[in-house]
Amino acid sequence: MQETSTENIIQAVKNGDTDAFNAIIELYKHEVFNLAFRMLKNREDAEEVAQDSFVKAYQKIKFFKGQSKFSTWLYRITYNTSLNKIKSNKKYLMNQSLDAQEKKGSISDLSMKSLLETERADFLKIALQSLSDQHQLLLTLYYQNDCDLAEIEEITRTPKNTIKVQLHRARRSLRLSLEKMLDREIENIKR
Amino acid sequence: MKEEEIKNLFKEIQEGPSYGFSMNTMRKINSIEQKRISFSKVRSGSVIALIVPAALLMLLILSLWTTSAYKFEVTQLMSLSVTNFNLDSEIFSGMGLSAVVAALLVCAGLWFWIFKSKEDLRNLS
């Protein structure tokens, strides 16, 4: 249903209706931003990349032939733009090490008080942040952006079987991370 | 935990762009679109600027070519005074006619060029 409406919008944009593209931005802005954010770990950069991705998609929309889903094509643009940003942004490399330290700290220092205050979603957010970049990316594409294995293969240009294995490992890592966090909290309650 | 539940949980932690993101993106797209339109207008203007002088040059060469070279005498040109101007004169029917036509074409071409350039500038602003 959504694909049909997206097709109509794409056709309108191709016919010269620039304003129709706003509907596409509204439809995919969260997914595009989220993907960029998971890759860049920085809100400002993610927003810039998300904006650039939409602009690129608009400029190249006449080349979109509909052989794949529009969302897959858009996520591929976002993925490539994020990779380019990572390459060009030296600041990212410096922040990465700082983020890693913060991640470790955020899990180990999570007190019962803060856990009670945080929602279940925040708990998952912290667990997700403790995973490797590749695992975060795969889980984001699979669970948040509703991409199947074939779509992830097209976006990341990684063989489907490799994705399958990595996704399995990512799920296991997430589960272990969550269990570790919960065990720590249970121990804190027992004390 | 079921896949669907995990999906829902992931949806809960989905990050969103700041307020006004769509508006800013559309503004950027519109400005790019405006620049693209302006550029195509300038390009069409530059095409006119090339074609018009080239066409005028062609016409000038053509008019000179049709003029008989042996009739081009300085003495005859000297006698081209307003008081002695005669429509039936040999000068006017030969080289003179070609020169007048060429001059008219040059004037018409220049006028058209200036008019078109002004119109393009008005459209751009």
Side-chain angles (χ1 to χ4, degrees), chain B residues 22-64:
Chain B
S22 311
M23 208 171 63
N24 291 337
T25 310
M26 275 314 289
R27 200 175 292 152
K28 200 171 176 180
I29 287 170
N30 281 326
S31 75
I32 288 168
E33 192 64 17
Q34 280 295 316
K35 272 182 198 165
R36 194 181 64 81
I37 293 165
S38 306
F39 182 68
S40 64
K41 274 181 181 169
V42 167
R43 254 187 23 182
S44 71
S46 67
V47 168
I48 291 166
L50 279 172
I51 287 172
V52 170
L56 288 173
L57 194 72
M58 286 271 286
L59 284 168
L60 265 172
I61 292 166
L62 205 72
S63 61
L64 284 171

Side-chain angles (χ1 to χ4, degrees), chain A residues 14-190:
Chain A
K14 279 182 180 177
N15 291 337
D17 185 2
T18 310
D19 293 334
F21 197 77
N22 193 43
I24 287 184
I25 298 172
E26 286 299 328
L27 270 172
Y28 296 104
K29 67 179 179 185
H30 284 97
E31 283 79 7
V32 166
F33 174 81
N34 219 41
L35 179 60
F37 184 66
R38 284 276 164 254
M39 290 180 76
L40 295 156
K41 320 271 188 301
N42 178 304
R43 274 199 80 87
E44 285 77 32
D45 285 349
E47 200 150 315
E48 197 186 315
V49 163
Q51 199 174 62
D52 286 350
S53 304
F54 278 117
V55 172
K56 279 180 190 171
Y58 172 79
Q59 286 173 322
K60 300 209 185 285
I61 204 159
K62 58 178 177 285
F63 300 114
F64 175 70
K65 304 287 178 214
Q67 286 159 343
S68 62
K69 275 166 77 177
F70 179 77
S71 55
T72 311
W73 183 74
L74 184 62
Y75 299 154
R76 170 95 191 126
I77 292 173
T78 312
Y79 178 77
N80 283 336
T81 314
S82 301
L83 283 182
N84 287 339
K85 183 77 182 170
I86 289 167
K87 274 181 200 165
S88 67
N89 204 355
K90 287 177 184 169
K91 187 182 76 183
Y92 166 76
L93 291 170
M94 287 162 70
N95 285 346
Q96 202 178 27
S97 57
L98 287 170
D99 281 350
Q101 283 174 351
E102 276 175 24
K103 273 181 218 163
K104 282 176 193 168
S106 60
I107 295 169
S108 56
D109 299 339
L110 196 73
S111 64
M112 186 59 199
K113 189 172 171 273
S114 64
L115 182 67
L116 286 172
E117 282 169 3
T118 52
E119 299 286 328
R120 187 174 58 161
D122 291 340
F123 206 35
L124 178 67
K125 208 186 272 185
I126 295 163
L128 186 65
Q129 279 174 353
S130 70
L131 304 184
S132 71
D133 291 346
Q134 180 67 7
H135 286 175
Q136 281 186 53
L137 172 74
L138 289 176
L139 290 171
T140 303
L141 284 171
Y142 190 76
Y143 288 119
Q144 279 179 334
N145 292 17
D146 290 321
C147 295
D148 57 30
L149 293 177
E151 286 166 354
I152 299 174
E153 181 185 26
E154 203 180 322
I155 294 163
T156 59
R157 297 277 193 263
T158 312
K160 204 190 270 184
N161 285 333
T162 312
I163 293 166
K164 211 171 176 179
V165 172
Q166 285 183 344
L167 198 60
H168 176 74
R169 284 179 188 159
R171 277 200 212 104
R172 198 180 55 194
S173 301
L174 183 70
R175 197 190 66 223
L176 285 171
S177 180
L178 280 166
E179 278 176 2
K180 219 159 101 181
M181 285 167 74
L182 284 170
D183 284 347
R184 199 173 290 127
E185 290 318 311
I186 290 165
E187 276 175 31
N188 282 342
I189 293 165
K190 280 178 184 173

Side-chain angles (χ1 to χ4, degrees), chain B:
Chain B
M1 195 183 266
K2 284 177 187 172
E3 287 284 290
E4 209 49 45
E5 283 178 57
I6 301 172
K7 259 185 189 174
N8 289 337
L9 261 175
F10 268 85
K11 293 274 179 199
E12 275 180 49
I13 62 160
Q14 198 172 44
E15 301 279 346
S18 63
Y19 178 77
F21 173 81
S22 311
M23 208 171 63
N24 291 337
T25 310
M26 275 314 289
R27 200 175 292 152
K28 200 171 176 180
I29 287 170
N30 281 326
S31 75
I32 288 168
E33 192 64 17
Q34 280 295 316
K35 272 182 198 165
R36 194 181 64 81
I37 293 165
S38 306
F39 182 68
S40 64
K41 274 181 181 169
V42 167
R43 254 187 23 182
S44 71
S46 67
V47 168
I48 291 166
L50 279 172
I51 287 172
V52 170
L56 288 173
L57 194 72
M58 286 271 286
L59 284 168
L60 265 172
I61 292 166
L62 205 72
S63 61
L64 284 171
W65 185 54
T66 51
T67 307
S68 306
Y70 66 89
K71 283 181 182 170
F72 189 81
E73 287 174 26
V74 180
T75 49
Q76 282 181 330
L77 275 175
M78 292 292 277
S79 66
L80 263 175
S81 60
V82 179
T83 46
N84 293 336
F85 194 75
N86 185 4
L87 279 173
D88 298 327
S89 75
E90 202 183 330
I91 298 164
F92 194 78
S93 59
M95 183 201 75
L97 184 68
S98 303
V100 168
V101 171
L104 279 172
L105 282 169
V106 167
C107 288
L110 275 172
W111 174 82
F112 177 74
W113 187 14
I114 292 163
F115 176 77
K116 194 73 193 153
S117 302
K118 276 185 87 173
E119 198 180 46
D120 282 347
L121 278 171
R122 199 167 43 235
N123 288 339
L124 281 175
S125 61

